[in-house]
Amino acid sequence: MPMDTTRTILSPSAAAETVLAFVNTRAIDGSREQLGDGAAFAQWLRLEGLTGPGVLVTHADAAAARELRDALVLVLLAHAGEEDDEGRARAEEYLRRSARLYPLAPVVTASGVQLLPTGDGVPGALAHVLAAASDVALRGAWMRLKACRNPPCHLGFYDRSRNSSAAYCSPNRCGAQVAMRTYRTRKAQEE
Ligand SMILES: [Zn+2]
């Protein structure tokens, strides 16, 4: 299936891009799972400039990163209108624990306050993702970071619509797929 270029939505800030880069490491639409094991995660961290060379990245680190990613995807799905209270509560509990595992410290300057990771290595890198999420939220744009509600997709995207009502990464692709599925189900029930 050809890639739909309309899915490449530019986000307004580097912080939003950091969160999206992290949640979109899943194998989406034929792409490779980028947090599959320690080596893959290490490569992703270096490409994103989140760790230097020589940082040891284990399979357990990759598993922890995937758990954090799953929790963030559930929160972004909630932003897109997914009504999964149980999943959202589980994700929020996980993120609460992540705050203790990957701590941030406020650094106050004359021009403002920045939340910065206190650790380095993998915990510091995951804290960087949480710092980016905090930054997006503090700018008032958290609800616009969403995950596509089409179940096989779940691509993270920034909703630029005027009334912040987008539920799918692309109306032409995922929106149309869901509409077609709903139509077929309804038709099958009628027959
Ligand atoms: Zn989608």
Side-chain angles (χ1 to χ4, degrees):
M1 198 178 283
M3 275 291 281
D4 181 349
T5 50
T6 60
R7 291 169 54 143
T8 313
I9 300 161
L10 289 178
S11 49
S13 73
E17 272 175 31
T18 297
V19 177
L20 291 177
F22 182 69
V23 298
N24 289 338
T25 49
R26 293 167 47 249
I28 300 167
D29 202 16
S31 71
R32 195 169 50 90
E33 162 65 73
Q34 295 176 72
L35 309 184
D37 56 26
F41 184 33
Q43 192 187 16
W44 183 81
L45 288 168
R46 276 199 304 276
L47 282 174
E48 291 293 315
L50 293 177
T51 56
V55 171
L56 182 70
V57 183
T58 64
H59 290 339
D61 290 330
R66 290 196 301 273
E67 282 180 6
L68 178 62
R69 182 181 66 185
D70 288 349
L72 286 171
V73 168
L74 281 168
V75 167
L76 299 195
L77 278 170
H79 291 174
E82 185 88 2
E83 287 168 6
D84 175 9
D85 291 346
E86 196 254 329
R88 198 197 56 209
R90 207 165 4 101
E92 285 173 345
E93 176 52 34
Y94 188 86
L95 291 167
R96 204 167 290 130
R97 264 185 288 140
S98 300
R100 292 194 291 272
L101 290 172
Y102 316 123
L104 299 169
V107 175
V108 182
T109 62
S111 54
V113 179
Q114 247 192 317
L115 288 171
L116 295 177
T118 59
D120 51 14
V122 173
L126 294 178
H128 180 79
V129 173
L130 292 179
S134 309
D135 190 61
V136 175
L138 292 171
R139 288 164 195 261
W142 189 225
M143 296 300 157
R144 284 188 179 270
L145 268 195
K146 299 182 176 184
C148 178
R149 284 184 64 185
N150 190 14
C153 180
H154 286 179
L155 182 83
F157 66 101
Y158 188 85
D159 180 2
R160 292 173 166 282
S161 68
R162 199 167 42 84
N163 54 358
S164 191
S165 61
Y168 305 105
C169 65
S170 155
N172 300 333
R173 183 198 157 89
C174 284
Q177 267 181 23
V178 170
M180 181 53 79
R181 229 178 278 145
T182 309
Y183 170 77
R184 286 203 187 117
T185 308
R186 197 176 303 142
K187 204 141 184 263
Q189 282 165 352
E190 280 168 10
E191 278 163 9

